[in-house]
Amino acid sequence: MRKIYSLLVISAILVSCGESKETSVESIVTTGNLKELTAKKKEITSKLEEINKDLEAINAAIAEKDTDKKLPLITTFVAKDTVFNHYLELQGNVTTKQNILIYPEMPGILKRVLVKEGQKVYKGQLLATIDDGGLANQVAQLEATTQLAKTTYERQKRLWEQKIGSEIQFLQTKTNYQAQSSSLKQLKSQLAKASIRAPFSGVIDDIFKEAGTVIAPGQGSEVFRIVNLNNMYIEAEVPERYITSITKNKAVKVSFPVLGISLDSKVNQVGSYINPNNRSFKIEVPVSNKSGNVKPNLTAKLQINDYSDEESVLIPQSIISENANGEQFIYVIRDKNDAQEATAERVIIKTGKTQGNLIEVLENLPVGTEIIDEGARSVNNGQTVKVINK
């Protein structure tokens, strides 16, 4: 019983001492002078330093004995030399230079239409005829008189060569024959306009006039549309900043989303004029059309190789962060040990062109550097991490 009583008394004394110390601190803060306050601060600072040393020792001991550390788990990949091909993506329309409207060259009644829509025709084939208004009869008569003039000239020429007859007779027959021939040639040229022929091989896409229609040269009197689907090309506009990289014979990947087909081609022609309205220039890319499914005005997508690097370092864009200064950075690992533990280090980089999810790194990332992939956005500079690559 005395022992219990003694313990209670000692405890009460200790509690009262603690209260008195606490009270004395409050009292010094409230009523103490500068000297007392400075002394008390030194006393407390000394105690804090001792406590911090004890904590460091305890943490070090825990780190040595703790076999299950709570380290951030990450995956990594190694920076390698890669062939990088950048493609400029454009949209263009299919067209052909052999897609024209055929107009009559002389007025008259459309006498006959000799073809149908969708019919394939060859160059020079007769498509339709126009009533010539008796021009064919005039040609026949002029042919007869021209033949007579020719015969007369040839006979007079033989006589003149034999020194028979006068020179004036020879010259008159020669002049008459030449005049008749010239008139006949001109009249035949006019008669030929009564026949509408195909200017090139292709397909009759549309027939605008029927037989019996009165037609005349000029806008609105077109008779046929003829299209050649063999010599097709894609026309696209390229921003002027690519004027040095998009040149003739550049490789092009062409795709037609509607048709679901792709093919390879080259830039066939580069425009020499910059459009001031949109600051672009035109290019032409030829396309084959063996199936005949590629039609004028069909939408096409172009991928043109405007930049290549044989020794480029590519990384995913998703692992790049940006600091307050607008600098891009990634995390790499240093000093990896046998336990796959390493230190995360922040590295400022300079990037170039992108292609899909990948971006080219231009500076400060040597080949062979191990880069943090998964977990890159959850680590801090100098933090210990654990690599769990499979």
Side-chain angles (χ1 to χ4, degrees):
M1 198 64 185
R2 283 183 178 180
K3 290 182 179 180
I4 295 172
Y5 179 74
S6 299
L7 290 172
L8 290 173
V9 171
I10 292 169
S11 300
I13 293 171
L14 291 173
V15 171
S16 64
C17 289
E19 289 177 353
S20 64
K21 288 181 181 179
E22 186 69 27
T23 303
S24 64
V25 170
E26 292 177 357
S27 176
I28 290 173
V29 170
T30 305
T31 61
N33 56 33
L34 180 59
K35 184 177 180 181
E36 292 174 341
L37 288 169
T38 303
K40 195 63 178 178
K41 179 182 177 181
K42 289 182 179 179
E43 178 186 345
I44 295 174
T45 301
S46 177
K47 291 180 179 179
L48 283 174
E49 290 177 354
E50 292 179 1
I51 291 172
N52 286 333
K53 289 180 181 179
D54 292 340
L55 285 174
E56 289 179 2
I58 292 172
N59 287 334
I62 291 173
E64 291 179 0
K65 297 180 180 181
D66 187 6
T67 58
D68 187 19
K69 297 178 182 179
K70 303 299 181 182
L71 299 178
L73 304 179
I74 59 140
T75 62
T76 63
F77 66 94
V78 178
K80 298 179 180 179
D81 282 341
T82 306
V83 177
F84 177 51
N85 293 315
H86 181 266
Y87 292 91
L88 172 64
E89 296 186 356
L90 300 170
Q91 182 171 302
N93 292 323
V94 176
T95 186
T96 175
K97 293 180 179 178
Q98 293 185 320
N99 175 16
I100 64 170
L101 296 173
I102 301 177
Y103 293 85
E105 295 184 82
M106 68 176 294
I109 298 174
L110 190 61
K111 193 173 181 180
R112 290 187 301 165
V113 175
L114 305 174
V115 292
K116 298 180 180 179
E117 290 183 0
Q119 180 178 336
K120 292 183 178 180
V121 296
Y122 56 86
K123 182 178 180 179
Q125 181 175 337
L126 184 63
L127 307 179
T129 59
I130 301 171
D131 186 0
D132 58 28
L135 192 60
N137 293 332
Q138 296 179 35
V139 170
Q141 292 176 4
L142 192 56
E143 282 180 339
T145 57
T146 302
Q147 184 62 39
L148 177 61
K150 180 181 179 182
T151 302
T152 304
Y153 163 67
E154 290 175 347
R155 289 182 179 180
Q156 191 65 41
K157 180 181 179 182
R158 287 195 294 271
L159 291 172
W160 175 247
E161 289 173 350
Q162 296 173 12
K163 305 301 181 181
I164 302 173
S166 65
E167 182 180 4
I168 191 66
Q169 290 177 325
F170 167 70
L171 294 176
Q172 285 176 343
T173 56
K174 180 180 179 180
T175 302
N176 182 54
Y177 170 60
Q178 290 176 340
Q180 292 280 359
S181 297
S182 179
S183 297
L184 179 60
K185 184 178 180 181
Q186 184 177 5
L187 202 59
K188 283 184 175 180
S189 177
Q190 292 179 3
L191 181 60
K193 295 178 180 180
S195 300
I196 301 177
R197 298 182 180 275
F200 52 80
S201 298
V203 176
I204 301 299
D205 190 61
D206 205 349
I207 298 176
F208 301 100
K209 300 291 188 294
E210 296 180 357
T213 305
V214 177
I215 57 177
Q219 192 69 27
S221 61
E222 56 273 8
V223 181
F224 303 102
R225 177 186 292 277
I226 182 171
V227 180
N228 186 341
L229 297 180
N230 294 326
N231 300 320
M232 310 290 286
Y233 67 94
I234 300 168
E235 188 175 76
E237 294 188 345
V238 183
E240 65 178 352
R241 65 179 178 273
Y242 296 102
I243 196 168
T244 57
S245 55
I246 304 301
T247 56
K248 189 175 181 180
N249 294 324
K250 272 282 186 178
V252 182
K253 295 181 179 179
V254 181
S255 64
F256 299 100
V258 173
L259 302 178
I261 61 175
S262 299
L263 53 90
D264 294 324
S265 186
K266 291 184 178 181
V267 176
N268 185 52
Q269 182 177 335
V270 178
S272 302
Y273 172 75
I274 301 295
N275 188 334
N277 296 322
N278 57 11
R279 310 307 305 174
S280 66
F281 60 95
K282 289 184 178 181
I283 61 170
E284 292 182 4
V285 179
V287 291
S288 61
N289 189 23
K290 295 180 180 179
S291 64
N293 291 328
V294 179
K295 309 292 185 183
N297 298 316
L298 184 67
T299 299
K301 289 185 177 181
L302 307 179
Q303 288 185 317
I304 307 176
N305 179 214
D306 65 321
Y307 170 77
S308 296
D309 189 352
E310 298 294 327
E311 298 180 350
S312 177
V313 176
L314 302 178
I315 64 173
Q317 296 186 62
S318 58
I319 69 171
I320 299 177
S321 301
E322 190 172 302
N323 61 23
N325 297 324
E327 297 173 319
Q328 293 179 314
F329 65 88
I330 60 173
Y331 284 100
V332 302
I333 62 169
R334 307 292 189 195
D335 305 324
K336 185 167 68 172
N337 58 26
D338 294 338
Q340 298 299 302
E341 296 175 4
T343 302
E345 181 180 324
R346 182 182 300 168
V347 175
I348 303 296
I349 60 172
K350 182 179 179 181
T351 58
K353 296 181 180 293
T354 62
Q355 192 68 55
N357 185 46
L358 298 178
I359 189 167
E360 181 186 24
V361 180
L362 302 177
E363 293 181 4
N364 209 22
L365 189 61
V367 173
T369 303
E370 197 164 356
I371 306 166
I372 296 179
D373 185 6
E374 295 182 17
R377 295 187 179 275
S378 61
V379 301
N380 297 313
N381 191 36
Q383 185 177 13
T384 302
V385 295
K386 186 176 181 64
V387 182
I388 57 168
N389 290 342
K390 296 181 180 179

